[in-house]
Each structure stands twice: as C-alpha cells, then as structure tokens.
Amino acid sequence: MVNPSLPAATAATAPNPGNRALSHLPGEFTELKGGFDFRRLWHSLVERIWIVALCVLAGFFLALGYLARTPKLYQGHTVLEVEFQEPTLVTTEDSTARMRSTFLASQEALRTIEQNLTNQTLLARVIRSEGLAEDGGGALLGNQNIASRSKSNATPGAGPSPGPIETRSAVGVGTFTPLEEALGRALAGMVNPVIRRGTRLIDLYVTNGDPAMAQRLAEAVGREYIRNSIERRASLSEESLRYLLEEEERLKVNLQKSEAAVAEYKAKNPDALQLGGGTAATGSQQGSGAGAGGPRGGLVEDKLQELSSKLTAAKADQLRLEGELKQIEQAGENINALLAIPSISTAGLVTDAQRTVTQVEASIATLALRYKEKHPKMMAARAALAEAKEKLRQAAMAQPPILRNAIEQTKATEASLQGALQDQQGVAVALNRTAIGYQELARQAETDRALYESVLRQIKDTSLTKDVKTNAVSVIEHSPLSHSPVSPSPTKAIVLGLLGGLAVGFVFVLGADALDRSIKTVDHAEGAFGLPVFAAVPETTEEGTVTRLKRQSRAWGSSNYRVVVETPESPAAEAFRNLRAALSLLGPEVERKVSLFTSALPNEGKSFTSANYSLALAQQGYRVLLIDGDLRRPNMHRIFHFPEPAEKNNSGEDGASGVIDCLVGEADLSSAARPIPAGEIDVVTGKVAAEGNFLTATGGQLSVLAGGRRAPNPAEILAGPFFGQLVGESARLFDRVVIDSAPILAVSDTLLMMPYVQTVCIVLRAGKTPRQAVRRAISLLTSAGIRPAGLVLNRLRRSGGAGHYYYYAWHGYGADEGSYSRSYSSRSRSGHKDNGAS
C-alpha cells in the first residue's frame, strides 16, 4: 500500500504489489522436479572424496589382514569320466541292464554321481581306508584334532561317549566310529565335484592345507567311489542270484504239478481234444494231444468249419441262379439278351450251336468273294445259316427249365447242409464243457513253464556277470602335486577389498547426499525453487591479495565484510557487480528503486549482501540509502564502524540515531542517515584516475541508516504507517533504497515490510540452508501476495574448483591486465606509452 500523505512524485516511486517484479504470483509454491541430477551427485562425490579414499584404504588393509590371518589351502584335482553304459564281457538282454544304461546316458546320472562323491558314508570309508583317524585327524586337519576337541567340548557330567555307529549301505553293514564320522563330515567340506558343461567328465577338487594330503585325498575319493560301486554291484548280484535260485526251485515244483494235472485231465476226458483243447498243451502234450486233431484245432472244430463253408457256397449259388432266372424271364424270346446271361451262354448245347453259326457265317463270307447272291452255293449256305440259328434259338429256349431244376437241387443241398451243421453244433456244445477245464489247466502249465524258463535265463546271465569288476566311472586324469595355493588369492582379496571399500564409500557419499537437505549449487537452487539466482558469492575467507583499502580497514577493525571495496578484484566482489547488473534488468528504473534482502534463517549473509550491493550501486554513481531493517539484531553499525546505540554505548559519547529514532519521531531521515566517505567507496583513487586519464562514475554516494537504539516492540512499530512514510521519503531523496531485513522464519518483521518494497531477494547460504526452510519462507511470501524476484547464493565453496562455482564467476579473469588492482596505474602508464608509440 502507498501512504496517501506522500507527494505525488514519491507515490509514483512507492512500492506497489502489482508492479512487474511482483506480478507473477502462483497460487501455491511448488518445487520444480526433474530427473536424476548426475551433476549434483558428482559434486557431492568430489566434495566427499576423502570418505571414499578412507573406505578404499580401509578395504585394502582389511584385505591384507585377511591374507595374513587366513591359512593357505592347496588343491588336488582328479578327473572322472562317466560312460554311457557299464563295460561288460557278456552281452545280455536283461531289462535291468538296459534301464541302467538309459539312466547312465542321462544328465541326472551325472548329477547323482556328483552328489554321491560328497556322501558322508563314502568319505568315512575314505578316512578308514587311508588311516586318517589313527592320529585323531591331525594329518587331515593340520594342527586341529577332532578327538581332543570333542573331549574338550563334552558337557560336564554327561555319560560315556557313544560307541561305534553302524551305517547300513547297499554293500552291507559298515561300522564307523564317531571320530571317523566327524572326519568324514570335515572332509565333506573339502571335496568339491564339478560337472564339466557339455561333457561327461567330472572334476573332483579337494582342498587341504598340505599339498601332499590334497593330492592323496583327491586320488582316494575317486578310487573309493569306484571300489564302492563295484562292491555294491557284486553284492546286489549275489543277492539277486540267491533269490533267483530260490525262485527256480519253487517254479520247477509248480511246473511239475501243472503238467501232471493236464495229463491226468486228458486221461479222464479224451474227448476234450476234439474241440481244440490240444492248442493249449505244452511240451509232451503237444505231440500226443494236438497230433490227433491237426495243428490248428480238433475234429469237431474242423468239421464245423467245413460244413459252414459248404452252406455258404450253396447259398451263394442259389442266389446267383435265381438272379439269372429273373433275367431270363425278363428277356423272353430275345435271343441276344438270353445269350448275354452267363448260365445260358456257358451251356453245352448253346456253345455248340454258336460255334456252328460262326462256321457257317465264315463260309458265307468266303463264298461271297467268288459268287453272287443267286448262285446255288450261296443260296445253300444261306439256308444252312438259317438252320443253324434256329438250332441256337431252340438250345437257348431249352435252358430256363434246366436252370429251374438246378435251383431246386441247390435248395435241397442247402437244407441238408443246414441240418448237418445244426447236428455238429450240438456235438460241439456238448464237448465244450469238457474242453474248458482242459484249457485252463493247459494255460496254467504254459505260464509256469514261461516263468521257469525266464528265471533260468536270468540265473545264467547273473552267474556270468557277477564276478565282472567293471564300472561306468573311471579315473582318466590323476591329481598332480600342487605347488601354489589356490586360497586365499592375494590379487582377488585385494581387488575385492578395494572394490568393497569403494562401494562402501559410494554408499556413504550417497547416504550423506540423501540426508543433506541444503543447497549446494546454482542449478540446484534454481531447480529446487523455480527462481533465478542473481549472484553466486564465494567464500571471502579464501581471498588471497589484500588491497589498499583492506589494509586501511584493518586499522579500523573491519572483518572483510565490504569486499566490493576492500578486495575489488576478488570473485566475491565480481559476484556483487553481477547482482547489481541483474537487478538493474528486472524492469524500468522507477519500479526497482526499493530493494529488500532477507533470508529464511539467521546467519545466512543478508547483511553482508545488502552492504556490498549498496556499495556496488554507489560505485556506479547512484545515491544509495542502506536501511538496517533488522530491528532485532542490527549489524550495519558494525560493518561501517558506527558507534553503538545509546543504551549500549558506555564510553560516554552519544549513540548514533537510527531506524527506530526515525520511526518514533525522535530524528529525521536527513540527520539519522550517515554518509560514507568517498574513500571508502571508490575503487580507483583520484591519483590513479588522473594519471590514467580515464573516466570514472562520479556523484555516487552511500548513506547508511543504522538500526539505532533497541525498541521493545519492533513488530508493532513496523505494523504502523511510519515505516511506509520512511520508505517513501527515502525513495524521494535517494536514487536507490536497500533494506536489510530480519529472517522470515525467525520473526514477522519482514512480512510487515513487504507492502512497501518493490524487489525482494532471498539470501541462501550454500551447503547450510535447508531446502524446507527456504520453501517455507517463499510460501509465506507467496501467501502474502509477494513473489521473490530471485535468490543470492552466499558463501559458495570454491575448494572443489569448478565443481560448485562452475561458470558463474571465473576468478582471476583479467587479473594479469590489472583490472580492479593496484598495479593498474603502472600498467595504464605503460599502455599509454605503447599506444602513443604506435
């Protein structure tokens, strides 16, 4: 709002919430979100590279400690080959052998053998066969002794240790002591079988602290597995042979009983063979029973088949003759149609008559070549042909009665055959009951004989193969003596230690970066808040050279606050000149006369920024008023070496008037504002300007309105109309008004000043100010209808080189030419001489 008591000229320059600097007011502040910021991560990594270096160094020393403490292990290596089938000297058709060959050819067989190589029972056999339990496992385990360790770990007051443990396997019953069992479990951790991909080879690795022991164990494990497989096969063959011999005796008795029952039944029922009972007989019964009835069946069955065949043929003839009779009846006296019927055309009389007609026709054809139709011979031949055709017609017409007689004869034959078939079927039914019992006994005898013969073949095959000591697994490469340890590997341990340390360092850096909520770079600030960064001010404690004014200011007790004057060639001074240029481009000059610098939290550098920005404006030739608006903790009187306020000045001199005095009406602006001498503002002295013969900005003046004495109620004073009147009068008397305010989140004073300012800049401290605090401050300003013009990133670290302060200010640019430097006078003089000479 604008104070109505101000003059029109002043009101024109008074702050307006709707001006260009504050016109863009979003409804709610939102952070601009983007993708993953690799640049920020790289800066964090460079900033905390010492953490990564420490972690890598720690990983290196951990790897060295691991190498020093870990015992060296040597490796024995034996190669086993698995055949597709077990070698044998006798070819058999045993189904069990075929199934085993099929299993050996599969990948599951390789995995089964691989697992069996680490079987604890097998490894206990290795311990016993190699005698490794005799010294309590000392040779196997080095200095460790399982027997003594087991005694030391025994529970006090417990009973006696258990005796030998019986382990049942396919070979039989093997007795292993607890020590052998324990050594077998220890050996299981040393054995590592591996199947070679795409082959039928198994690499057997055994590791041990003694290279000779590793070689010995690798050979022993492979050898013991083959021996165990052969023993298991021999044991199974013996058990199978014993079982087959018992079965042979039992089946032989059953077969004798079955054959005796068949012979007894045949003796009691001799007619049973007539119905085919001999087809089921075996052995001697086939020669006596089946020989009388033929090779395929009995007499009754043969006769039934013969009668059935004759009856079928008679029915077929009857049907054929009846069909031809119907054709004759349909043809009537048509000789050609009658001759087309097979039964008539094949009759003897008809055939002779057709032959005679053919011969007469042939003679007529011969006579026609020599004689004419009226010749007597031709006429006699024509008469003979007519007579022959008449005989053919009479022969054809005489065949239907003959065909009817044949049909009657066929019907009579069919009836007789039907009666004979029925009689024979009755005989077969009568004999069927007798044949059923015989067939059952014959089948049982045949089954017993087949089982007996099968067992005899298996006994023969088992007897031939039980003593063959072959196995599908064989050793094709024996273990050499290892001369270098396989574990630990120094290269691998050190590389893993370094990589582990590097990974832990990266995790620490990423964790620290994720927990760090501060603003590090200009891009980070602009991306996080959506506001431009007008200037990036680096750390001033890292400045190197000291100028004339800085040496003078040390006599005044300054603390390097006025860098624009004290170190004008520094990057910090250049940053404030950038700030001056950036704010001058925000809009028309009438709309940017009153600027306010604030921060979200204390100790962000807002007073430092306000003072140097005011000095930069004064160096440009403006009449500038710097108002210390932080009424809670004013600092301008310390920066410009004013006396302390009246209530704190104990030296007896009067304290300087300030903002509070003007607001309460005890002092006016012209008397309270203290001008700063030109020598503390100008960068180039008059002597240098005269000798250099160049133009400088003239008329610049800086006045500072300090805080003055403390007020008990600063918020209530600022809430009244007096602060607006003070700002309006300042804008009328000065070209620029710069206000240093209190932190937004600390007190409400700054929000009360907002209606009277035109440009608001928020100062952030790089690497310290939390993002949440800045968002909260901007949100409070936005809710009050004020949008900050931009940000000033203060105390940006330069230790990372171009890492954090990249491309925003290139410190040292132009230093060799004497810009903003004491050496400029000599360089300018020499430059003038050169220009004159040229």
Side-chain angles (χ1 to χ4, degrees):
M1 57 179 296
V2 180
N3 193 340
S5 61
L6 295 177
T10 305
T13 62
N16 185 356
N19 59 29
R20 187 172 304 175
L22 305 176
S23 59
H24 183 63
L25 300 176
E28 183 180 359
F29 171 73
T30 56
E31 179 182 355
L32 297 179
K33 296 182 179 180
F36 186 76
D37 194 351
F38 288 99
R39 184 186 295 273
R40 175 189 170 192
L41 180 61
W42 171 252
H43 295 332
S44 300
L45 180 62
V46 172
E47 181 182 2
R48 300 181 176 91
I49 194 65
W50 59 274
I51 298 179
V52 179
L54 287 179
C55 291
V56 171
L57 189 61
F60 176 74
F61 283 111
L62 287 176
L64 294 181
Y66 170 76
L67 293 175
R69 294 177 59 88
T70 303
K72 296 181 179 180
L73 296 178
Y74 296 85
Q75 188 177 78
H77 178 207
T78 300
V79 181
L80 306 178
E81 182 181 9
V82 182
E83 301 290 345
F84 284 97
Q85 62 182 2
E86 291 183 345
T88 179
L89 302 177
V90 180
T91 303
T92 63
E93 298 296 332
D94 189 8
S95 60
T96 304
R98 291 196 300 270
M99 292 177 60
R100 179 163 178 79
S101 299
T102 304
F103 174 72
L104 287 174
S106 65
Q107 192 68 20
E108 286 75 9
L110 295 177
R111 286 194 286 267
T112 302
I113 296 173
E114 180 188 23
Q115 296 298 322
N116 284 334
L117 287 172
T118 58
N119 183 274
Q120 292 188 5
T121 302
L122 173 66
L123 299 181
R125 288 171 57 96
V126 174
I127 297 297
R128 172 171 293 183
S129 64
E130 297 296 320
L132 298 177
E134 296 176 359
D135 60 348
L140 178 65
L141 303 176
N143 296 329
Q144 299 179 356
N145 191 302
I146 288 187
S148 60
R149 187 173 60 186
S150 300
K151 293 180 180 179
S152 63
N153 293 338
T155 305
S161 60
I165 299 175
E166 291 187 355
T167 303
R168 183 174 299 274
S169 64
V171 178
V173 177
T175 303
F176 299 107
T177 63
L179 178 59
E180 292 173 341
E181 291 282 343
L183 290 176
R185 288 191 295 270
L187 180 57
M190 305 177 186
V191 178
N192 179 30
V194 179
I195 302 175
R196 289 191 188 179
R197 185 182 299 273
T199 67
R200 299 188 62 79
L201 302 179
I202 298 178
D203 293 297
L204 179 61
Y205 299 99
V206 180
T207 56
N208 192 273
D210 183 7
M213 179 58 67
Q215 179 190 26
R216 175 183 174 188
L217 290 174
E219 293 287 343
V221 171
R223 182 175 60 253
E224 195 62 32
Y225 176 80
I226 296 174
R227 182 185 302 169
N228 184 41
S229 298
I230 294 175
E231 291 177 358
R232 287 178 57 199
R233 179 180 177 183
S235 176
L236 291 174
S237 298
E238 291 178 359
E239 292 183 359
S240 300
L241 183 59
R242 187 183 307 111
Y243 172 76
L244 290 174
L245 291 174
E246 295 175 356
E247 283 294 305
E248 188 268 341
E249 292 295 332
R250 185 181 66 83
L251 292 175
K252 184 176 181 181
V253 173
N254 292 341
L255 179 59
Q256 291 175 354
K257 292 180 179 180
S258 299
E259 290 181 346
V262 172
E264 182 181 359
Y265 192 88
K266 279 174 39 178
K268 293 181 179 180
N269 301 281
D271 296 335
L273 297 178
Q274 297 183 10
L275 199 61
T279 58
T282 61
S284 60
Q285 286 77 11
Q286 286 183 348
S288 60
R296 293 196 169 205
L299 297 176
V300 177
E301 290 181 347
D302 295 341
K303 193 171 183 180
L304 281 174
Q305 185 176 0
E306 180 183 0
L307 291 174
S308 179
S309 300
K310 290 180 178 180
L311 179 60
T312 302
K315 289 182 178 180
D317 291 340
Q318 180 184 353
L319 293 176
R320 180 178 61 80
L321 294 175
E322 289 178 351
E324 291 179 357
L325 182 60
K326 289 183 179 180
Q327 290 180 358
I328 291 173
E329 293 176 353
Q330 292 176 359
E333 296 183 358
N334 188 350
I335 299 301
N336 293 329
L338 291 175
L339 292 176
I341 298 173
S343 59
I344 295 177
S345 62
T346 58
L349 295 177
V350 176
T351 302
D352 295 340
Q354 285 181 339
R355 187 180 306 111
T356 301
V357 171
T358 302
Q359 292 175 356
V360 173
E361 288 178 349
S363 63
I364 291 174
T366 302
L367 293 174
L369 296 176
R370 299 176 62 184
Y371 306 106
K372 294 184 180 180
E373 291 292 333
K374 300 295 184 176
H375 193 274
K377 290 185 178 182
M378 286 293 295
M379 295 179 63
R382 296 286 182 186
L385 177 61
E387 183 180 0
K389 288 184 178 181
E390 179 62 24
K391 290 181 179 180
L392 177 61
R393 186 185 67 80
Q394 292 177 359
M397 295 300 294
Q399 292 302 316
I402 298 174
L403 185 60
R404 291 187 183 92
N405 292 333
I407 292 174
E408 293 298 330
Q409 292 178 2
T410 303
K411 289 183 179 180
T413 304
E414 180 182 354
S416 62
L417 290 174
Q418 185 70 32
L421 181 61
Q422 291 178 356
D423 295 340
Q424 193 65 26
Q425 287 178 348
V427 175
V429 171
L431 294 175
N432 187 47
R433 298 183 182 89
T434 304
I436 289 175
Y438 176 79
Q439 292 174 357
E440 290 179 355
L441 293 176
R443 282 195 298 269
Q444 181 64 38
E446 181 67 21
T447 302
D448 292 342
R449 178 169 292 277
L451 291 175
Y452 180 73
E453 292 176 353
S454 175
V455 170
L456 288 179
R457 286 193 300 269
Q458 293 183 20
I459 290 174
K460 179 182 177 181
D461 295 340
T462 304
S463 299
L464 292 174
T465 60
K466 69 182 181 67
D467 295 329
V468 177
K469 296 182 179 181
T470 58
N471 192 265
V473 181
S474 60
V475 179
I476 63 171
E477 182 178 338
H478 294 277
S479 175
L481 182 62
S482 178
H483 298 286
S484 59
V486 296
S487 176
S489 174
T491 303
K492 182 178 179 181
I494 292 176
V495 170
L496 290 179
L498 294 177
L499 292 178
L502 187 64
V504 172
F506 282 149
V507 170
F508 272 117
V509 170
L510 291 176
D513 184 70
L515 296 176
D516 188 1
R517 313 305 296 173
S518 62
I519 301 298
K520 297 296 183 63
T521 63
V522 174
D523 284 345
H524 190 194
E526 292 179 345
F529 309 117
L531 295 174
V533 175
F534 292 141
V537 184
E539 283 278 5
T540 59
T541 56
E542 299 173 1
E543 307 296 345
T545 60
V546 180
T547 63
R548 168 183 55 83
L549 292 176
K550 184 174 182 180
R551 288 195 300 270
Q552 292 178 358
S553 64
R554 286 181 177 175
W556 303 335
S558 177
S559 58
N560 197 20
Y561 256 75
R562 295 173 291 177
V563 294
V564 176
V565 178
E566 297 171 356
T567 56
E569 75 282 3
S570 66
E574 189 63 35
F576 286 111
R577 288 190 283 271
N578 290 338
L579 175 63
R580 178 184 65 190
L583 292 180
S584 66
L585 300 175
L586 289 181
E589 184 175 353
V590 69
E591 296 180 2
R592 50 185 171 82
K593 294 190 65 174
V594 182
S595 301
L596 182 141
F597 290 87
T598 184
S599 63
L601 301 173
N603 301 323
E604 300 293 293
K606 54 183 181 54
S607 300
F608 168 73
T609 303
S610 302
N612 284 277
Y613 174 66
S614 301
L615 289 169
L617 288 175
Q619 290 175 357
Q620 199 173 6
Y622 290 104
R623 291 175 299 132
V624 184
L625 174 63
L626 174 58
I627 300 176
D628 192 350
D630 190 354
L631 305 182
R632 312 295 180 102
R633 293 175 57 184
N635 289 315
M636 292 303 169
H637 63 283
R638 297 189 182 92
I639 296 176
F640 292 95
H641 318 297
F642 295 162
E644 292 289 336
E647 62 271 24
K648 289 192 175 182
N649 189 359
N650 298 325
S651 61
E653 58 179 315
D654 295 336
S657 300
V659 176
I660 295 297
D661 302 282
C662 294
L663 293 178
V664 299
E666 294 183 0
D668 56 0
L669 179 60
S670 58
S671 61
R674 304 189 59 173
I676 303 301
E680 298 183 20
I681 299 176
D682 294 337
V683 178
V684 182
T685 62
K687 179 181 178 181
V688 174
E691 293 177 354
N693 191 20
F694 58 86
L695 297 177
T696 60
T698 58
Q701 179 184 357
L702 173 62
S703 299
V704 179
L705 181 60
R709 60 189 179 90
R710 298 296 177 84
N713 55 344
E716 285 74 14
I717 295 176
L718 292 175
F722 305 105
F723 183 76
Q725 297 174 5
L726 177 62
V727 173
E729 184 179 0
S730 302
R732 180 174 53 84
L733 298 177
F734 294 90
D735 299 329
R736 294 286 187 272
V737 178
V738 180
I739 303 175
D740 175 31
S741 65
I744 297 176
L745 301 183
V747 293
S748 61
D749 299 358
T750 303
L751 296 178
L752 298 174
M753 299 178 183
M754 289 300 167
Y756 309 105
V757 299
Q758 293 173 306
T759 304
V760 179
C761 292
I762 298 179
V763 180
L764 312 179
R765 182 173 175 178
K768 181 180 179 181
T769 307
R771 293 195 296 269
Q772 293 82 352
V774 181
R775 292 196 192 101
R776 175 61 178 166
I778 298 177
S779 177
L780 291 176
L781 294 177
T782 304
S783 61
I786 304 297
R787 176 178 174 81
L791 307 172
V792 176
L793 194 59
N794 188 31
R795 300 190 68 174
L796 193 65
R797 293 184 57 185
R798 289 189 294 150
S799 58
H804 287 317
Y805 201 58
Y806 55 93
Y807 69 77
Y808 296 107
W810 190 263
H811 56 278
Y813 180 77
D816 295 338
E817 304 297 330
S819 300
Y820 293 101
S821 174
R822 293 174 56 216
S823 62
Y824 185 84
S825 59
S826 60
R827 291 179 180 271
S828 64
R829 287 194 298 271
S830 62
H832 282 299
K833 292 178 181 179
D834 294 340
N835 292 335
S838 62

